[in-house]
Amino acid sequence: MLKFLGFVVILAVLRGCNAQTSAAYLLQSHSLPTDRNFMPTLGNGHLGYTVYGDAIFMNGVYNGGSGNSKRARIPNWLNITTEVCDRFGCATDAEAAVNGTSYEMDLRDGYFRSRTTYNGLGLTLEQRTYPHKYYNRALVYEVVATRNSENAARANSPQFLRLSQHPGNASDAFDFVVVSNGSSASGDFRTIRGRTEILEFERFQPTPQEIYILFSQYLEQPLQLEWPTWQAELRHRIIICMDREQSVALKELQDVLQLSASSLLEKHTDAWHNFWNRDFSIALVGNAPELSQIINAGIFYLANSLPSLSTNQKNEPFYGLSPTGLGRGNLEADYQGHNFWDTEIWMLPVVTHFGFEYGKQLLDYRGRKLEAAKYNARSKGYKGARFPWESAYTGTEVTNPCCPEVAQQEIHISPDISFALQKFLAQSGDWTWVCEKAWPIAAEVAEFVVSRAACEEFRPVCHLLNVMGPDEDHPDVDDNVYTNAVSKIALEFAEWAGGYCGNDSTELFANWRRVNDRLVILHDTELDYHPQHAGYVVNTTIKQADTILLGYPLRYDLSNTHLNDLNIYAKVTRESGPAMTWSMFAVNHLTSKEEWVGHEYFERGYKNYVRPEFKVWSETPLGYEGSANFLTGIGGFLQAIIYGYGGINFVRNNDKISMIVSFGTVPLGVDEVQVNYLRYSHSTCRWVFSNRYSRMNCGARTGPDFYMVQGKKRTLLGRSFNVTLVKGDEPVHITF
């Protein structure tokens, strides 16, 4: 009994964080989604789960061979519910207040809670769950029961709490054994060891993966906590810690249990507050409360799958962002937790603004899997590195056996990664990183593109044959224009990076340049547009954004031809396409100063894709089957705000990088957008824009001075500067 009383605290501590949370960061509902897949997904880069779901997942832990590899499901022992009971039974929903239970996702504090008030019993029951952002091997469940009136302290008022665990079925991914049953007398903990059942690919994974799970308290059957009627409040917590190393999980649990419940929560909320206050946030001024919540929820769901940069113990290597995040991955709808081009093209441009270290963690995953990508190329008779369409633990191809043509033909993933390396350089200005990390990947990607290209013998023309572009409705086509364009960008970047980093292989560079110069970019001169692929017929329906990506993000063609592409492909993109498609139409129209069309596509890109209760994204519009917690759609949506409405971009021109700052505009109903913060080189910037002005405020403690280039005029700005644009001003380039 004394063991439980140690967790009794003043309820004000529990409510303190919530009281400070503004409506823009607090998602409240009195009902749950009919499809529980659209409950919030929580994570900390090491562990993740969906609230009330049956699975916990750990960064980088997969089970299954080749295309059957998927995130290894750990039963969700954190899925705990509490009832208030007395000797006659437990309280029912009928005894709750009129509105029943309130469910809250607190984005600013980083936790999910439910709160039930039983008016007739004079008490409130609160339950909270979260993966700790600082103690990131720890998952936390807390419950607080409070008597709300003096009349509640009577003989027949609730006398105990009953905690029950709902972990779901046994896992088919692990062989679990009990290492220790735990003993309160010895201070030991219930410890389980799990080994994955099936290797992904023995050449790159010779042994199973092993994890250890430690419980502060293990509920083999419902736990009964005595609650004397004279006691106003009762609080209890259960901590579960997991790691590949038993010693790491044990230290985490010991460190956590040394803290009071309020201190543990404060350490977690402080970490999230630091993210919102120092790393990244977007604030809207004006009458757009729902849009504000959707933006904040999108940032939160994207960020909580990333590694915490400040942790109690050193992080393990990160295994990338899958389309539905770290807390999902057991289902085909979750893409089994695999990594796609979604990481580099759709999420990385936003994640990099959270901080360059976040971006490096995503790109480092590709660097660590370079040898596997080279193996993938050799196994198909090619040179260089062919990154798989779907990648998991080993970096070899793990595309679902249902769809072999996707794995064989979507070769644009390799130049996509090279393109992302160049964009990261253009934003970070990290010249040391480009030679140590980017150049080795870019060189191998260029070698793959050259070996994959089919060059005609008697004409100066090269093709990429039998490919599939982003539009997966059209397999086995030749010269998909997106694939060819991003390949040309990758070849140019590899040649530049090689020269910059001191490689003097003129023959190698000449070979890359020859293919780059000759690689076909289809253009219909009569209609002045880019056919999506050889033989494409105008008005043929397509799945998603493909050719229009030549404008943004590739910046390959910004001419009138690009505007014609937008108009032609808008008419034929199917209604059931993924969310990020309409965001890309929005960005491209907004940056082309076609603002009203941009507004239309921007709203289309989120209004039919976000579930109302907790602002969780779906891959497809409501009414269609699709993935939940679709981070890819979130990435496209946030790019539409930052790069479309905000009008900024980052470019490399030989050995110079620059930030392009254009006069921005704002979504309908919004007076001003405040982006805190943009990362550019050695500075941190605040970007504020409206329909009347755009202001860039940047500051840096160290590094070279910045210059502003506008037309032929070059102005010294110094390390810290303010730039204001009004409507009609030409874009400026900030460089150094």
Side-chain angles (χ1 to χ4, degrees), residues 360-372 387 417 421 437 440-441:
K360 286 182 178 180
Q361 297 237 13
L362 296 186
L363 294 170
D364 281 351
Y365 168 72
R366 299 300 191 180
R368 295 197 313 274
K369 302 305 172 186
L370 182 58
E371 287 304 312
F387 285 91
I417 292 169
L421 294 170
K437 301 289 187 177
I441 299 174

Side-chain angles (χ1 to χ4, degrees), residues 82 194 196 219 266 342 363 366 378 435 448 477 484 690 735:
T82 297
T196 53
L219 307 185
E266 185 178 10
D342 304 46
L363 294 170
R366 299 300 191 180
R378 291 195 304 270
C435 294
F448 169 67
V477 300
N484 286 21
S690 70
T735 187

Side-chain angles (χ1 to χ4, degrees), residues 240-279:
I240 303 174
C241 291
M242 305 185 200
D243 196 80
R244 297 175 190 268
E245 299 291 335
Q246 184 177 0
S247 60
V248 173
L250 176 60
K251 183 180 188 306
E252 198 85 332
L253 185 53
Q254 291 172 333
D255 290 350
V256 164
L257 292 179
Q258 288 178 2
L259 298 174
S260 68
S262 56
S263 295
L264 180 63
L265 176 61
E266 185 178 10
K267 193 75 173 177
H268 171 74
T269 56
D270 282 351
W272 270 110
H273 294 173
N274 286 338
F275 172 83
W276 293 111
N277 295 337
R278 302 177 188 176
D279 290 348

Side-chain angles (χ1 to χ4, degrees), residues 383-452:
K383 298 179 181 179
R386 176 180 179 172
F387 285 91
W389 179 239
E390 299 187 30
S391 179
Y393 179 67
T394 64
T396 56
E397 185 61 73
V398 291
T399 295
N400 193 302
C402 73
C403 312
E405 71 282 356
V406 179
Q408 295 163 8
Q409 298 170 18
E410 290 219 51
I411 64 169
H412 64 83
I413 178 67
S414 293
D416 288 339
I417 292 169
S418 185
F419 173 75
L421 294 170
Q422 178 173 202
K423 293 297 289 184
F424 184 81
L425 169 66
Q427 186 174 343
S428 69
D430 194 331
W431 306 102
T432 301
W433 170 87
V434 77
C435 294
E436 292 179 352
K437 301 289 187 177
W439 155 243
I441 299 174
E444 297 295 346
V445 168
E447 280 293 273
F448 169 67
V449 170
V450 168
S451 68
R452 183 63 168 75

Side-chain angles (χ1 to χ4, degrees), residues 5 27 111 163 215 240 349 406 509 671 709:
L5 293 179
L27 310 178
Y111 62 77
L163 278 67
F215 302 81
I240 303 174
V406 179
F509 296 166
D671 298 326
V709 180

Side-chain angles (χ1 to χ4, degrees), residues 27 75 99 164 200 224 227 286 341 385 392 397 445 516 559 565 568 607 621 637 659 710:
L27 310 178
N99 287 327
S164 303
E200 185 174 290
Q224 183 169 308
W227 188 12
W341 75 313
E397 185 61 73
V445 168
N516 183 12
S559 68
D565 289 341
I568 287 173
K607 285 191 172 180
F637 165 75
M659 174 171 60
Q710 190 171 29

